[in-house]
Amino acid sequence: MSATAVPSDLRARLAVILVFVILGCTQGSWMARIPAIRDQAGLDTARWGVVSSASAIGDLVALTLVTVLIGRVSTRLLCLSATGLVLLNAPVLAGASALPALVLGLAVWGLSATFLNTPVNALAVAVERAHGSPLMSRFHASFSCGVLAGGAIGTLAAAGGVPPGVQLAVSSTVLGVLLLVLGGRLPDEEIRTKQRRPLRRRFTPQLALLAAVAFLASFVEGAASQWSSVFTADYLDEGAALGAATYTCFTVAILVGRLVGDRFVARWGRRIFVQVSLLTVVLGAGVGLVHPGLPYALAGFTVVGLGLACVLPAVFALAGRQPEVPPGEAVSVITIGQWPGFLLAGPVVGLLAGATSLRLALASLAVAGLGAAVLTRRISMA
């Protein structure tokens, strides 16, 4: 077992927020510069699609490592190590012009970002419990703010002709200095035993249930992220600009939902809040399905984003409060459940669209949201 010591509440919150911002800002900056990185590596769209899958190799390595190390090594040390690797790898990846360097950089990105997901959420749970009121949605909102900030910085850098490697080197340096200042304020975990809990013992009935909810919520997020713009641009034939606007509505709605979600958690409790959120996802998906057209697509994906915004933060918080398993190990179960949902969403919707139509394929969002809402009824509050 382990005990988590939380330093001054405000300083601990700022430190956890910074880690979420670092992960989001690095991801947003990288995503914004993909066209330039692809061009400097001399890849066409088809080859880029194959090469970009290298990050999945890193994801799998990360899931294995974090499953072994969490609960045996200080959670703060794991968090700081993964964050440092994210910052060090970002400019190397962005500046890669040779194919081997690009593949290696993508694999390391997948490893570091996926690995970081478990310790930072475990520490967020610790800070929230010490604070005594809901904070998880705001922590995840800081990630969303980081993504938007990184995307904006990347856009400005591209407009100014700044090479991707230079841009990421500057941002990593600034964020790294902030991490040196605040990193020591992260909660620490005193490991009291070296006995490792077998993975199968972590999957208690409640954690398996929460992992299933995380899988379905991640499926919805992955499908909406990858197909919302395509639905508007191609299926509705509204063009690329309005397709991008649909995706933007979805992402901004997630940010807004996370900024206000903790208030509703405090008022309703997490189980009811998650149920209402998932039913909101079903409503939003149904709007776009029943009424195909631009206004309904924009409104539908906005409602999906609002409903989806705080589901995963709430699931992480519920997992971290389960009495049978230490918080870090419990959060690792949710990470294992979450990852394949996002990974499978794009291909599954694509296959369904090929067999039927994209409109019908996106009905899977409503099905997944409804299934998760039903599962949530069986969650017991810790």
Side-chain angles (χ1 to χ4, degrees):
M1 298 292 291
S2 62
T4 304
V6 182
S8 171
D9 183 47
L10 177 59
R11 290 180 297 175
R13 275 185 284 162
L14 290 175
V16 173
I17 285 171
L18 175 62
V19 175
F20 276 107
V21 169
I22 287 173
L23 184 58
C25 186
T26 305
Q27 178 175 314
S29 297
W30 151 253
M31 296 292 286
R33 301 309 306 269
I34 282 178
I37 296 169
R38 182 191 62 193
D39 291 345
Q40 74 187 12
L43 300 175
D44 57 24
T45 301
R47 291 180 67 198
W48 172 258
V50 175
V51 169
S52 63
S53 65
S55 62
I57 299 172
D59 293 340
L60 288 172
V61 174
L63 290 174
T64 302
L65 284 176
V66 79
T67 299
V68 172
L69 295 176
I70 198 74
R72 302 183 72 185
V73 179
S74 164
T75 307
R76 180 170 71 180
L77 178 59
L78 294 178
C79 185
L80 289 172
S81 300
T83 308
L85 185 57
V86 165
L87 291 173
L88 289 172
N89 180 65
V92 176
L93 171 60
S97 57
L99 184 58
L102 183 59
V103 170
L104 179 61
L106 284 166
V108 174
W109 163 254
L111 187 154
S112 56
T114 301
F115 189 98
L116 181 56
N117 191 43
T118 294
V120 72
N121 276 289
L123 296 182
V125 170
V127 172
E128 183 187 70
R129 295 186 73 168
H131 184 67
S133 61
L135 292 173
M136 287 297 288
S137 295
R138 274 171 279 183
F139 284 140
H140 283 252
S142 63
F143 168 80
S144 298
C145 289
V147 172
L148 290 175
I153 292 170
T155 300
L156 292 173
V162 178
V166 174
Q167 175 208 325
L168 269 295
V170 172
S171 62
S172 287
T173 300
V174 173
L175 293 171
V177 170
L178 292 175
L179 184 65
L180 288 174
V181 174
L182 287 174
R185 306 303 182 183
L186 290 168
D188 200 7
E189 192 170 43
E190 178 189 351
I191 307 301
R192 294 180 179 172
T193 176
K194 295 296 183 182
Q195 183 178 0
R196 183 177 62 183
R197 179 183 297 266
L199 181 58
R200 64 180 180 276
R201 289 184 56 198
R202 298 184 196 178
F203 279 85
T204 64
Q206 280 294 303
L207 285 175
L209 182 65
L210 289 168
V213 173
F215 171 85
L216 292 170
S218 295
F219 180 91
V220 174
E221 182 178 355
S225 297
Q226 296 177 56
W227 291 100
S228 56
S229 60
V230 178
F231 179 75
T232 298
D234 295 347
Y235 183 84
L236 298 180
D237 198 24
E238 295 288 352
L242 289 174
T246 306
Y247 173 72
T248 300
C249 286
F250 171 71
T251 55
V252 171
I254 287 180
L255 173 58
V256 171
R258 287 175 174 174
L259 288 172
V260 302
D262 287 327
R263 301 176 189 175
F264 293 96
V265 171
R267 185 178 304 172
W268 297 343
R270 280 204 165 90
R271 182 172 59 187
I272 293 176
F273 175 74
V274 172
Q275 284 181 307
V276 172
S277 296
L278 290 167
L279 291 175
T280 302
V281 169
V282 176
L283 173 64
V287 167
L289 180 66
V290 175
H291 299 286
L294 179 61
Y296 298 105
L298 293 171
F301 281 106
T302 299
V303 173
V304 168
L306 285 172
L308 191 64
C310 301
V311 174
L312 283 173
V315 169
F316 279 119
L318 286 167
R321 291 173 177 266
Q322 294 301 308
E324 304 95 335
V325 182
E329 295 183 17
V331 169
S332 73
V333 172
I334 306 306
T335 303
I336 292 171
Q338 171 193 6
W339 178 73
F342 198 92
L343 183 70
L344 293 173
V348 168
V349 171
L351 289 172
L352 291 174
T356 56
S357 68
L358 183 54
R359 177 186 171 191
L360 291 177
L362 288 175
S364 60
L365 276 69
V367 173
L370 184 60
V374 171
L375 290 176
T376 305
R377 294 173 58 88
R378 300 177 59 190
I379 294 175
S380 61
M381 300 300 294

